[in-house]
Amino acid sequence: MTRKGIPFSKLNGSGNDFLLIDDRGDAMRGIDRPSFVVKVCDRSRSIGADGVIVIEPSRRADFRWDFYNADGSRAEMCGNGGRCAARFAATRRIAGREMSFETLAGILQASVRGRRVKLQMTRPRGLTVDRSLTLAGKKYSYSFLDTGVPHAVLFVPDVSRADVEGVGRGIRRHKAFAPRGTNVDFVQPVGDALLVRTYERGVEGETLACGTGAVASGILAAVRGLAVPPVTVRTSGGESLIIHFDPKRIDFGEVFLEGDTSWSCDGKIFEEAYRY
């Protein structure tokens, strides 16, 4: 790669930051994507991000995305990443304000109104309520829902005191969720909202927000009678996400994630940023 670099934009969705690359013209030809992602997501030695989204042509929708977690692994779905991808596509005129795009979890719809994006999520599956597991000799109660990616949800009395890193890491790799592993959400109902902290698989740590985790938390809170949709989820980053679904339907109907995005910067990724 010459010094002209790879054009990118950095967008943020409620505390999750992503590098967006338009590869419809083969900007990343010859580059090993997983290795590239690991390097450029390093916040100390490169640009830094929770993930990388590569926009590609699609014959089935306005575009296709190739989504990577910061560790170089592909994920089927990412709610906040999807909202950032939709805003990027609308701004770059890759798609209109109403769009569809192709993911490993299926074709999704999105609506963009300035900074605010409402994203259709995949149909939830695998609902499991009030299970328990043992970690380091201690029993934990959890519920489970796959909202495009798997989420174990723990309802706690004080989310600010939850051991997100320690317990989250242990549950993420627990044999109960082998071989895929799981994301882990710690949820506290407060008034008419939920406070949520998430340990994200692929990032391998706590993130400031997780869209699929917000959806899982909102739906499971409603199932347990702790919330009524639309559910407001307040993230660790201090922003709010709105979760839309139909609690009267077994499959919860059409599920949407709504919230603001922010456009941090545009730039170019030079070879020294991913070949060190």
Side-chain angles (χ1 to χ4, degrees), residues 11 50 123 150 161 208 233-234 236 265:
L11 279 76
D50 289 330
R123 288 291 176 92
R161 302 183 65 179
L208 293 179
V233 171
R234 294 178 184 150
S236 296
C265 66

Side-chain angles (χ1 to χ4, degrees), residues 173-204:
R173 298 187 181 279
H174 195 277
K175 62 183 181 181
F177 306 105
R180 296 172 68 199
T182 185
N183 299 278
V184 187
D185 306 284
F186 299 81
V187 183
Q188 177 189 354
V190 176
D192 59 355
L194 304 176
L195 304 183
V196 178
R197 296 174 64 189
T198 300
Y199 184 96
E200 277 203 58
R201 181 188 69 165
V203 177
E204 305 308 333

Side-chain angles (χ1 to χ4, degrees), residues 3-9 47 266-271 273:
R3 285 291 294 176
K4 68 179 183 180
I6 302 170
F8 81 98
S9 296
I47 300 167
D266 296 323
K268 293 182 178 179
I269 303 174
F270 296 119
E271 192 170 359

